[in-house]
Amino acid sequence: QAQLVESGGGLVQAGDSLQLSCAASGRTSSRYSMGWFRQAPGKEREFVAASAWSGQNTFYAGSVKGRFTISRDNAKNTVYLQMNSLKPEDTAVYYCAAAKAPYGLKYEGTYDYWGQGTQVTVSS
């Protein structure tokens, strides 16, 4: 069993940057693929970014590509989401997730463990 804890959320203005962190503990392995999802009020949870366990393969939703960067420090069991040029439509609760599988990382069902989420609010 792995536990994931997100941090770094907050209230920022449009155009600002924010970095989210997700620390894994418990039965963790650097061979987990990691992903970030988000859920805005009244909307379904959606894929944001993912990193295969090696960190060399990364994937992004079209709406964040070029603005967000996912990275990981396997020695620290931590994955990051650097968010630049934030927009009001990025406002959501952001969740990190861990998957044993190295594929299908854009789909929620692929992931085995989830964090509780951290709120990101971007004001215009």
Side-chain angles (χ1 to χ4, degrees):
Q1 191 78 9
Q3 291 80 43
L4 305 175
V5 178
E6 304 94 335
S7 62
L11 172 63
V12 297
Q13 292 186 334
D16 285 351
S17 297
L18 204 59
Q19 185 182 64
L20 304 183
S21 299
C22 173
S25 61
R27 194 172 181 177
T28 60
S29 168
S30 63
R31 290 184 178 266
Y32 279 121
S33 299
M34 300 296 295
W36 286 96
F37 288 74
R38 68 186 181 186
Q39 186 168 22
K43 296 187 177 181
E44 294 187 351
R45 189 156 56 185
E46 64 175 3
F47 169 76
V48 175
S51 168
W53 72 266
S54 67
Q56 294 183 349
N57 293 325
T58 57
F59 310 91
Y60 297 93
S63 59
V64 306
K65 198 168 186 178
R67 300 189 298 123
F68 291 12
T69 302
I70 186 171
S71 61
R72 60 193 297 163
D73 185 337
N74 288 336
K76 296 182 179 180
N77 286 332
T78 301
V79 64
Y80 306 95
L81 184 67
Q82 177 66 42
M83 305 186 294
N84 298 330
S85 302
L86 282 161
K87 304 176 181 180
E89 50 263 44
D90 294 318
T91 294
V93 177
Y94 283 72
Y95 299 89
C96 76
K100 298 174 184 176
Y103 49 81
L105 298 180
K106 295 183 178 181
Y107 305 101
E108 290 188 44
T110 300
Y111 293 85
D112 302 284
Y113 305 105
W114 291 84
Q116 293 300 307
T118 185
Q119 176 71 47
V120 172
T121 302
V122 184
S123 64
S124 57

